Amino acid sequence: MRDNVFVAICYALTLGSLLSYATVLLRRARRAGRVAKSEELPWT
Amino acid sequence: MSTTVPNPQSIPGTNASAVSRRWRGITSTGFSRVLGVATLVLVVWLVLFGLLFSPPDQTQQSSVRIMYIHVPTAWVAYLAFGVTGLSSAMYLFRRAHSLAWDRVAGASAEIGVMFMALTLITGSLWGRLTWGVYWAWDARLTTTAFLFVTYVGYLAVRRLGGSHQARAKRSAVLGLLAVIEIPLVHFSVELWRSLHQEASVANPSGDVKMDGLMLFSLFVGLIAFSLLYFWLVLHRQRAMYLEDQYDDADLDVALVERRAETKEHSRA
């Protein structure tokens, strides 16, 4: 029982952290993109 | 960057149409979207195989399922710090001293730190179940913690201020020095007596004693997190490019304001 709780914590923590980081990253990019100077972005 | 975003119209070189065009998926391309979807599918696979389809271990029972995320997060952290070292070398030793390499190094280190933190946390929980303690001052654990702290320091050094080139130069030197720690962490279990087990898959003898479905689940985890790393680096270094542009634009506005102030003073 305790094993399953620890496993669940590990998966939830890892996947939750990665998802949160990706969300924050995309938000920051959008915020920075709103005021970026160049008309043509290098990757487009 | 935790700064207040000003009105886009006040920044030179921006206009409303460009702003609305950029609002959606500013750092995305067709390739990054495909990569994102592939990553998502593999992460779902990882959860299914890791939690449901793979069998429990004879001695460790269910706790072995932690391996499918603990090992991949450690692998991605090594990969990320290796890419930081390589990009730092590319920045320092190529004539152009392109800031693109610096941004890749910074993005990779940031993501590596996050994966390393997850490695330490999941390892600590797994250690509690198998060794009975959350932490031991063991060679592998100590060197891993040291590696984590080193790259947190690297990220702090990147935020010290100055021009983009100054930031790139000092962090590239540190990035090259820090990467030396990776072999030390990896071979710590062989160099010193350690609680931590030796490599199960990438061992010198090549003898893999693991059930087929367990091994498959582990590889799904490795591929899923590697793809996730590439997706995150792609977006993070593009976001850094935009942040650098924002910094430059902010500086331009400050200079214009300062010049206007100077003119006012000279008239008075």
Side-chain angles (χ1 to χ4, degrees), chain B residues 74-113:
Chain B
W75 149 251
V76 170
Y78 285 173
L79 174 71
F81 297 150
V83 168
T84 297
L86 190 68
S87 304
S88 301
M90 295 298 276
Y91 171 79
L92 277 181
F93 302 125
R94 291 198 77 159
R95 265 190 203 171
H97 296 299
S98 168
L99 283 174
W101 288 115
D102 169 63
R103 287 191 285 267
V104 172
S108 192
E110 189 178 296
I111 294 157
V113 163

Side-chain angles (χ1 to χ4, degrees), chain B residues 143-165:
Chain B
T143 50
T144 305
F146 190 61
L147 185 68
F148 173 72
V149 172
T150 303
Y151 278 91
V152 170
Y154 170 89
L155 293 180
V157 165
R158 289 188 67 85
R159 296 175 74 95
L160 282 178
S163 68
H164 298 325
Q165 286 293 349

Side-chain angles (χ1 to χ4, degrees), chain B residues 67-82:
Chain B
M67 176 178 71
Y68 310 129
I69 51 169
H70 175 72
V71 176
T73 52
W75 149 251
V76 170
Y78 285 173
L79 174 71
F81 297 150

Side-chain angles (χ1 to χ4, degrees), chain A residues 38-40, chain B residues 15-26:
Chain A
S38 65
E39 290 301 308
E40 293 297 323
Chain B
N15 58 53
S17 64
V19 168
S20 61
R21 200 170 59 238
R22 290 188 201 126
W23 178 246
R24 287 186 178 202
I26 186 81

